[in-house]
Every structure is written in C-alpha cells, then in structure tokens.
Amino acid sequence: MTNTSLFVQLFVGFLLSVALADSNCPIKLDPTKVVAKHGDPVSINCTAEGEHEGMGFEASENGTGTIMVNHLTWSVTSVDPSIAVLCYITPSLGNSAFKALTLFCTWVKNGQKINSSLPLSREDAGIYSVEAEGLSSREKNVSVRILYGPELSCSSNYTALEHSKFSLSCTVGVDLGNITRDDAGNYTLVASTGQQTVTQTFEVIVHYSNFILGSSVSLKCSARGNPRPKYSWIYYNTTNVSEENDDGVSILVIHNATTFNIGSYTCLASNEHGTVSKTARLTTEGAQQECPLQIIPAERMVLEYNSESKRATCTTSSTENLKEIYWRDNGGHITSGLLDIIPDTRNWDAKPAVCEAGFKGIGLCSKRLDIILYKKPDSVFIRIQRGSETLEDFIQEGEYTLNCLITSVAPAKYVWVRWFRGNESFTPQKVHVSCIECDINETRTSVNMSFSTNITVNRTHNEMTFSCEAALNLSEVQNITFPASRPLNTTVYYEPVINTTKLSSPVPVFSGYAEDLKCEAEGNPRPKITWNSSLTGPLEHSDGVLPVTQKGLYTCIATNLIGSDFHKVEVIEKGKTILLLLMLVLMNSSR
Ligand SMILES: *[C@@H]1O[C@H](CO)[C@@H](O)[C@H](O)[C@H]1NC(C)=O
Ligand SMILES: *[C@@H]1O[C@H](CO)[C@@H](O)[C@H](O)[C@H]1NC(C)=O
Ligand SMILES: *[C@@H]1O[C@H](CO)[C@@H](O)[C@H](O)[C@H]1NC(C)=O
Ligand SMILES: *[C@@H]1O[C@H](CO)[C@@H](O)[C@H](O)[C@H]1NC(C)=O
Ligand SMILES: *[C@@H]1O[C@H](CO)[C@@H](O)[C@H](O)[C@H]1NC(C)=O
Ligand SMILES: *[C@@H]1O[C@H](CO)[C@@H](O)[C@H](O)[C@H]1NC(C)=O
Ligand SMILES: *[C@@H]1O[C@H](CO)[C@@H](O)[C@H](O)[C@H]1NC(C)=O
Ligand SMILES: *[C@@H]1O[C@H](CO)[C@@H](O)[C@H](O)[C@H]1NC(C)=O
Ligand SMILES: *[C@@H]1O[C@H](CO)[C@@H](O)[C@H](O)[C@H]1NC(C)=O
Ligand SMILES: *[C@@H]1O[C@H](CO)[C@@H](O)[C@H](O)[C@H]1NC(C)=O
Ligand SMILES: *[C@@H]1O[C@H](CO)[C@@H](O)[C@H](O)[C@H]1NC(C)=O
Ligand SMILES: CC(=O)N[C@H]1CO[C@H](CO)[C@@H](O)[C@@H]1O
C-alpha cells in the first residue's frame, strides 16, 4: 500500500487489535484499543503528524473520504461485528517518514535487520524476510521490487555550423522517494503502487536554444525508468524533422533548419508508473517564427466601396499540427468553424479581421486580413496658378503652380496623381499634397484632395496641354482606370527673336543686280517685321523679304506684344570686272 495505514478491527466483546505505537508512525489512534459490545456506540480519533496531503477513515460505515485535516473522528451509534475501520493518510512526498516499509514489521535482508523507516532506493531490491509482530508472530519471505518513474535527461546535440550557440542542457533525475521541488521540469509524476495514487506536479524550466538557419539540429532525450520508458515528442512537425528511437534514447533531428522549426519541443517519457516531460525552445537570431497560416486570396483585400464583396478564406497546409483555428473580428468576436469572411463594402470602417490558430510546438499565432475600401473620384480638375491668382490658359514664361483637384476619392493615403504634358507623363521633383478636412494617413472615408507642383514654363510649352489623372498606389488596382482632368491648353507668349543665321553681314551687291534680304523672327504672338534704311527710313518689303540694289545700312525690326528685336545688315557694292570674270568662268564650266 502506498498509504501508511493502521488497522483497527472491531469484534464484539473482544479485545481485537492493537495499533502499534511506533514512534515513527505519523498516525496516532485514540483509543489504541477498542472493546465494544454489539450495538454499543464507538468513537475513534485519528491524528496525523507531519506533512501529508489528506487523511480519512475507510470504513464499511461512516467512512469519511480523504480530507485535508490533521484530526478526524470516526463514530457509529451502534457497532456491529462486521465493521472494519481503517485510518489512512496520503503522505506528502517530502515527508521522510514514507515510501518506507511498514512500520510494525521487522525486515531482514541477507541476515541484516533493516531500518524500515529509511526510504528505499532501487539498490534495495531483493528478497527480504519479514517478521510481523502482534498477538502472534509470523515470518514470511517477501520479494521487494523497487519501482521508479522515468528519469529524464536531455541534451541538444548540434551537428551544426561553427559559432552556433549551445545553450540547452538539462538533466532531470526523478527518484521516487526523493523528490524535491528543485528537480526542475514541467512534469507530472504519478507514483502508483497499489490502490492509492500520489500525484505531484512540478514547475517547468524552459531552456532556450539558438540554431542557425540551414544547419542541422539534434535534440536528444533520454530517460531512465523501470520498466524502460517509451518516448513521444510534441512539436511543430515538418518534413525535415525525423525521430529516431534507439537503445533507450530518442533523438529528434532537424535537417536544414528553417524558420518553421522555431518553437518548442517537448519530449515525453512514460512508463506505467508515470510520465515526465521536458521542453526545449529552439530559436534563431534575427528570425521570427513563421505562422503557418494562409489567407486566400491575400492578406490584403482591396475592394471598391459599395461594390460586390469577395470572400477571404483562412487555411493552413499544416493540418497535422493544427489544434484550433478561427477568425477573430476587431471586436474580439470569434467565428470558429466557418473559415470564410466576407467584408462589408458599404462600411467605411470595416476593420481588419484576424485569423488565429493554435499549432503544436508553436502555440497561438495569427495572420491579419487588411481590408482597404477604395472609391474612384467623382471629378478631377487641373488649373494654373501664379501666386494666389488662378489664370486662364494665356501665360508667359516663368514659374507657375500646377494644381490638380480631386473630389470624393478614397483612401487618401494611397491617392497620387499622374501628370501629363501633352500625351507624355512627367514626374515632378516635388508635389505638395493636401487633403481637405482629413488626416491623410488615417481617414478611410472619401475626401477631396489637392496636389500641387511648381513648373517652369518656357516657349517650348506653347500650344501644349497639361493634364492630371488620379491613381491609387495599390498594386491590386493598377489595371483600373481612374478619371483624368480635361487637358489645359497653354499659350506661352514670348518676345521676338530674329533668326540671324539667314542675315549675315556684310552683303555684297553687284551694281544693277538686286539682292534679297530675308528677315525671319520667332515669337508669340507672331512678330511684325519692319525694314529701315539709314538713308531713306522705312522700306516696303514682302513678308520680311527686302530686295536691295544699293549699298547702305539696313535694319530689320521684329515686334510683338511682349517686346522687340532688331538686326542690322550692311550692304556693300562690288565692281563689274569681277562680275564679268565670274560669268566667263561659269560659261566655260557649263560647256
Ligand atoms: C476525540 O477528539 C475530540 C476532539 O476532536 C475530543 O472531544 C474527544 O474527547 C476525543 N475522544 C477520545 C476518545 O479521546
Ligand atoms: C454513523 O452511522 C450511524 C448508523 O450506523 C448513524 O446513525 C450516525 O448518524 C452516523 N454518524 C455520523 C457521525 O455520521
Ligand atoms: C554529439 O554527438 C556526437 C556524435 O553523435 C558525439 O560524439 C558528441 O559527444 C555529442 N555531443 C554532445 C554534447 O552530446
Ligand atoms: C535525496 O537525494 C539527495 C541528492 O541525491 C541526497 O543528498 C539526499 O540525502 C536524498 N534524500 C533522501 C531522503 O534519500
Ligand atoms: C511528422 O510528419 C511525418 C510526415 O511528414 C510523419 O511521418 C510523422 O509521423 C510525423 N510525426 C509526428 C510526431 O507527428
Ligand atoms: C537547405 O534549404 C535551402 C532552402 O530551402 C536549400 O536551398 C538548400 O539546398 C538546402 N540544403 C540542404 C543541404 O538540403
Ligand atoms: C503619414 O505617415 C507618414 C509615414 O508613415 C509620415 O511621414 C507623415 O508625417 C504622416 N502624415 C500625417 C499627416 O500624419
Ligand atoms: C511652389 O512655389 C511656391 C513659391 O513660389 C512655394 O511657396 C511652394 O512651396 C512651391 N511648391 C512646391 C510643391 O514646391
Ligand atoms: C523648357 O523646359 C523644358 C522642361 O520643361 C526643358 O527641357 C527645356 O530645356 C526648356 N527649354 C528652354 C529653352 O529653356
Ligand atoms: C493587370 O494587367 C496585366 C496585363 O493585362 C496582368 O498581367 C496583371 O495580372 C493585372 N493585374 C491585376 C492586379 O489584375
Ligand atoms: C485646346 O486646344 C485644342 C487644340 O489644340 C482644342 O481642340 C481645344 O478645344 C482646346 N481646349 C480649350 C478648352 O480651349
Ligand atoms: C508544456 C507545458 O505543459 N507547460 C506547462 C507547465 O506548467 C505551467 C504551469 O502549470 C503551465 O502553464 C504550462 O502550460
């Protein structure tokens, strides 16, 4: 019996039994002898000494069950001869007076009297003879087997890369009868010998160990026990993990460790007398454990406001390690079983839902489903500003601000603008974004926004168009066309510039032959051309072309709204001799 028990048997009219008052015995009966007649009332006090985990009376009548007291009274109003009574205590494992041989017997092993009050160790197994004292004396040979629970020692063995840290080391020895709370480990020891069961639960010490991604890690678990313990492991099982049980030792090998191997590994060793376990945690520096959950189609759903919604499903490919799985909405409400979520596209405040799951070796982990509702703008408008003044499309060269106004768009955080000059888009260096009555990063509802950029307008921009187009910086909606502004026509006015390459100076004229002076000028509006002679004043010309026959200083003047440009040409006369000579040469060569 596990329990140290004292028997009191009651027989009517006879002195029947004596409880031996062993000084080591932690149970005291009062009275120690009971003499009673059939039908008499009987009352017995039982007192426990020292630490224990409950006491009680076992009896065919008025039994008490196990109670956490030190003193108990058993009584019947009318005793009958068949009554058997037993006072017992469930000893605490720390009470050295127990897991010892029965107190009222003399034990002899190999001719030596054994001090039966000492705890047994497994070396004490063997054949004992026992002399029981009492009214008569008896002798019997008894085979004493010492049963003990599994003892666990585990170590982490790294067939790994150099510099890998080795920090896991644990050895737990558990010996029935000698257990202290210092024997760390998250294990429950169930010592069971006979009818009673003693249970002790101890706290865990979890050892952390670092591994290097891509290396191989071995976890060794060995336990002693009689009978030899069987092993099992609890961890997040992946294809690169294998268990090898060999010669009383269990080795878990992780090949080419990945972040999925981060987690806790519990080795359980058990035999019929109990189970012990030890947990080691594997970590790797700079990497987080992967949560083996997938949200389909993606962890982010981008849906058009007030459109037909879509379904999001949470799944795992690791069903063998899965313990539970459910959706938790942002109010904390849990939807289990149903693993689909259909966001409400009419609710701007649709908040993220979280898929949470429990896995062996990982515990709870989660993936978040972000829901982004977008809205195409009602309108997009472009304008030109100079300072605080908004202009029509007639402008001069200089610094201007292009302003793109977008109404009723969402979400502000992802809105941006494509700028176009003609049909070609351009990327300004700096764009100022503002949002009317909203917080760009936070507001989810539709808002009005303004995008501005400064441009330097020059004459090459004349008759070009500027426009802007709203866009959302969300990969999911890249293919969706958003409204663009109507194009803004630009007219750039600039002062005339005379094309001097066609008016080299001086110009020779041969007497009697007219020479054309051609004055061309660029400018917007189109410049007006006038020719002046230093001698005769303004001259007639045809669209800038002035025929000259006489020498002199001629001036071309180009004028428009914005300004004017002028260019002087000197005309000189050449003699006839040169002309004749030239004609002869030409005639000879044409022959
Ligand atoms: C048993 O204990 C009670 C107190 O719990 C006491 O009153 C009573 O006298 C005791 N009986 C005997 C026989 O000692
Ligand atoms: C014990 O049992 C008797 C019947 O034998 C009953 O009358 C009595 O009340 C019981 N006493 C207690 C203390 O329960
Ligand atoms: C690790 O295992 C190797 C061979 O398997 C062995 O030689 C070595 O002693 C072990 N190291 C530890 C710390 O257990
Ligand atoms: C328990 O074990 C410890 C260490 O092994 C030893 O010092 C102690 O004496 C043992 N206690 C008993 C009651 O056997
Ligand atoms: C781990 O998974 C493999 C197959 O991937 C399987 O054979 C093995 O039994 C699993 N181990 C545990 C402890 O579940
Ligand atoms: C380890 O895993 C990585 C990535 O999965 C792979 O590229 C590599 O070949 C593996 N190494 C071994 C030895 O299996
Ligand atoms: C929005 O967020 C960005 C970066 O996250 C930050 O730089 C900016 O200051 C925020 N704007 C507002 C208005 O909070
Ligand atoms: C545009 O220029 C004005 C002053 O000319 C300046 O205040 C403003 O910040 C500029 N805007 C951008 C986006 O550079
Ligand atoms: C006019 O501006 C464009 C850029 O907008 C620039 O590439 C070009 O060189 C400028 N032309 C002149 C004449 O300044
Ligand atoms: C956008 O269109 C391209 C080509 O048509 C396609 O390959 C891509 O998958 C589309 N993207 C989305 C998010 O629909
Ligand atoms: C802009 O110019 C184009 C031709 O270049 C013309 O067809 C269009 O009507 C103009 N738009 C405005 C608003 O003046
Ligand atoms: C792995 C395991 O079973 N751990 C347990 C160890 O004991 C503590 C305290 O009782 C529990 O909270 C752990 O869950």
Side-chain angles (χ1 to χ4, degrees), residues 475-477 479:
S475 55
E476 293 88 341
V477 294
N479 290 354

Side-chain angles (χ1 to χ4, degrees), residues 180-427:
T180 70
R181 278 169 195 272
D182 297 333
D183 288 335
N186 212 23
Y187 53 83
T188 299
L189 173 72
V190 182
S192 178
T193 38
Q195 298 147 317
Q196 297 295 323
T197 298
V198 181
T199 305
Q200 280 277 350
T201 305
F202 293 82
E203 289 239 349
V204 208
I205 293 173
V206 178
H207 292 261
Y208 285 83
S209 185
N210 247 318
F211 66 90
I212 290 174
L213 289 175
S215 66
S216 290
V217 183
S218 310
L219 293 169
K220 190 171 111 187
C221 183
S222 67
R224 283 188 293 161
N226 185 4
R228 180 183 270 189
K230 286 194 169 65
Y231 299 97
S232 60
W233 292 83
I234 300 172
Y235 59 97
Y236 182 76
N237 190 13
T238 51
T239 49
N240 64 340
V241 184
S242 60
E243 288 173 32
E244 293 160 19
N245 290 300
D246 198 18
D247 198 26
V249 173
S250 183
I251 298 171
L252 194 82
V253 185
I254 302 167
H255 310 273
N256 201 1
T258 70
T259 49
F260 284 108
N261 300 118
I262 299 171
S264 59
Y265 291 78
T266 301
C267 174
L268 299 155
S270 53
N271 66 12
E272 63 200 66
H273 305 297
T275 299
V276 289
S277 73
K278 189 74 201 168
T279 300
R281 247 196 90 77
L282 287 184
T283 57
T284 183
E285 258 166 42
Q288 296 295 309
Q289 187 158 39
E290 293 270 344
C291 185
L293 285 176
Q294 291 91 42
I295 295 180
I296 295 168
E299 278 168 47
R300 187 169 83 167
M301 275 180 106
V302 177
L303 298 168
E304 187 168 6
Y305 176 70
N306 218 353
S307 71
E308 199 183 323
S309 191
K310 286 189 185 124
R311 194 173 286 270
T313 308
C314 184
T315 63
T316 178
S317 55
S318 181
T319 45
E320 61 167 320
N321 298 301
L322 184 69
K323 293 200 283 199
E324 51 178 339
I325 185 166
Y326 50 85
W327 281 103
R328 181 196 293 280
D329 69 19
N330 77 310
H333 183 256
I334 283 173
T335 316
S336 52
L338 178 74
L339 292 180
D340 279 351
I341 272 217
I342 303 170
D344 179 2
T345 63
R346 283 167 299 278
N347 177 10
W348 282 118
D349 288 324
K351 292 268 170 58
V354 173
C355 176
E356 220 165 73
F359 291 95
K360 281 191 291 181
I362 293 180
L364 271 188
C365 70
S366 61
K367 285 268 166 88
R368 201 171 86 151
L369 170 68
D370 279 327
I371 296 154
I372 297 174
L373 290 185
Y374 74 90
K375 185 186 168 302
K376 292 183 187 175
D378 287 349
S379 69
V380 178
F381 180 78
I382 195 168
R383 63 183 183 183
I384 297 177
Q385 287 178 305
R386 184 165 215 173
S388 58
E389 185 190 358
T390 300
L391 303 166
E392 295 304 313
D393 54 354
F394 297 101
I395 53 174
Q396 296 184 32
E397 292 179 301
E399 275 269 318
Y400 292 87
T401 302
L402 270 184
N403 190 211
C404 188
L405 300 162
I406 303 171
T407 58
S408 189
V409 67
K413 188 177 172 182
Y414 297 101
V415 178
W416 64 290
V417 155
R418 280 193 195 95
W419 301 94
F420 291 90
R421 192 164 42 219
N423 289 329
E424 280 178 27
S425 72
F426 67 98
T427 310

